[in-house]
Amino acid sequence: EAEVASRLEHTDRLASMGELAAGLAHEIRNPLAGIQSVLELLREDLESDTNKVELCDDVLNELGRVNQTLSLLLSSTRPSAPRLTDTDLNQLLDSVRVLLEPGLRRRRVALELRVAPDLGEVRLDALKIRQILVNLINNAAEAMQDGGQITVRAGAFPDREGVIISVADDGPGVPGEQLERIFEPFFTTKLTGTGLGLAIAKSQVEQHGGSLEVESEVGKGTVFFVLLPAPAAEAGPSESNLPSS
Ligand code: ADP
Ligand code: MG
């Protein structure tokens, strides 16, 4: 189990590195575009001085290269199309617990998992959903100064064509004027926050064909709802039912 935990921690670190890289790339891009257009203007005024025009062209070329690198970085961290597999949400949530438990214990936060007994396996992108839940649970834990309780519930829509996973905390809640903005990229109330966790989570849920919603009451707590189209797994033996070799 320790090996699983360290492997999961590694993918988690990679995911937040991706978050950070995407954030940095965005931040660098705007001033860079400004610098490029000013240089282009200056270059027009320098037409008579070929040496200076050449210098300008060199700098513009270099800036072009930086821009290319940023595009590459952004495209490699951009979320990809979902890869659906038959997934047991009990197992998925357990793996999230294994990953987060040490950190939660340090913050004196209790994590309760409640999967509806009749849920069975559902088809979804397990890695993505896992990453989204890690983000939501970490946010909840970070919001609670003096410990608290996080409850993750999973169940099927009445028609079984989808699942709903909720992450509830009894933390401080989010005031109304902030609640409107929490899904915006770079919106953060934390000193060292990226403000990208919820923005990326929302776009990943939407790429999955679902939606991410929030309800919050100051002084009571916050609940995030991940609503996913996730049909029940195909009948017949699935991989996880086969004896492992
Ligand atoms: P970050 O965690 O880097 O600040 P996020 O996009 O993950 O960025 O979250 C944005 C903001 O939403 C947080 O800074 C916090 O103010 C607020 N927030 C998110 N989840 C919760 C929660 N469970 N309870 C209270 N506030 C929250
Ligand atoms: Mg966050």
Side-chain angles (χ1 to χ4, degrees):
E1 200 159 78
E3 192 193 317
V4 174
S6 87
R7 206 164 51 214
L8 292 178
E9 208 168 324
H10 182 63
T11 44
D12 187 47
R13 216 162 27 232
L14 285 182
S16 48
M17 290 282 286
E19 226 184 85
L20 198 66
L24 276 175
H26 274 292
E27 286 289 306
I28 295 169
R29 232 183 194 177
N30 290 329
L32 190 67
I35 294 169
Q36 276 173 317
S37 46
V38 168
L39 264 181
E40 269 154 21
L41 279 176
L42 287 177
R43 188 188 179 283
E44 283 173 22
D45 290 344
L46 292 173
E47 282 306 352
S48 50
D49 191 334
T50 44
N51 273 339
K52 284 185 181 159
V53 166
E54 238 172 70
L55 219 66
C56 257
D57 284 343
D58 285 349
V59 176
L60 280 168
N61 276 336
E62 292 297 297
L63 289 179
R65 271 182 47 197
V66 176
N67 217 356
Q68 235 173 24
T69 309
L70 291 179
S71 301
L72 208 75
L73 192 63
L74 275 173
S75 67
S76 65
T77 56
R78 199 164 284 151
S80 50
R83 295 168 57 133
L84 306 178
T85 53
D86 293 348
T87 304
D88 177 345
L89 275 172
N90 275 302
Q91 275 175 20
L92 187 131
L93 289 176
D94 274 340
S95 83
V96 171
R97 184 208 287 286
V98 168
L99 171 70
L100 298 182
E101 193 111 89
L104 293 176
R105 207 175 299 132
R106 245 179 281 126
R107 291 174 171 274
R108 285 172 298 127
V109 171
L111 175 64
E112 189 183 346
L113 308 176
R114 290 194 185 178
V115 177
D118 61 341
L119 188 58
E121 290 195 335
V122 287
R123 287 187 72 73
L124 46 76
D125 188 328
L127 272 183
K128 276 209 177 114
I129 300 309
R130 193 182 155 279
Q131 188 51 48
I132 289 161
L133 294 174
V134 166
N135 264 324
L136 295 178
I137 294 169
N138 274 335
N139 273 347
E142 286 163 11
M144 297 189 283
Q145 299 298 319
D146 317 300
Q149 167 87 32
I150 300 174
T151 308
V152 181
R153 293 183 175 85
F157 285 168
D159 57 6
R160 302 201 66 86
E161 282 301 298
V163 290
I164 176 163
I165 309 171
S166 63
V167 178
D169 67 59
D170 57 4
V174 186
E177 69 277 10
Q178 289 180 11
L179 200 59
E180 288 167 17
R181 302 192 54 204
I182 57 171
F183 294 112
E184 287 174 15
F186 305 116
F187 176 81
T188 182
T189 55
K190 297 166 197 168
L191 224 51
T192 57
T194 63
L196 286 171
L198 287 178
I200 291 176
K202 189 177 173 65
S203 97
Q204 287 188 327
V205 175
E206 283 168 1
Q207 287 198 7
H208 209 295
S211 63
L212 179 60
E213 286 168 26
V214 62
E215 279 173 16
S216 189
E217 199 177 329
V218 173
K220 284 255 171 84
T222 306
V223 192
F224 284 88
F225 298 93
V226 183
L227 304 153
L228 293 171
E234 316 251 314
S238 72
E239 255 174 82
S240 55
N241 288 338
L242 296 175
S244 54
S245 49

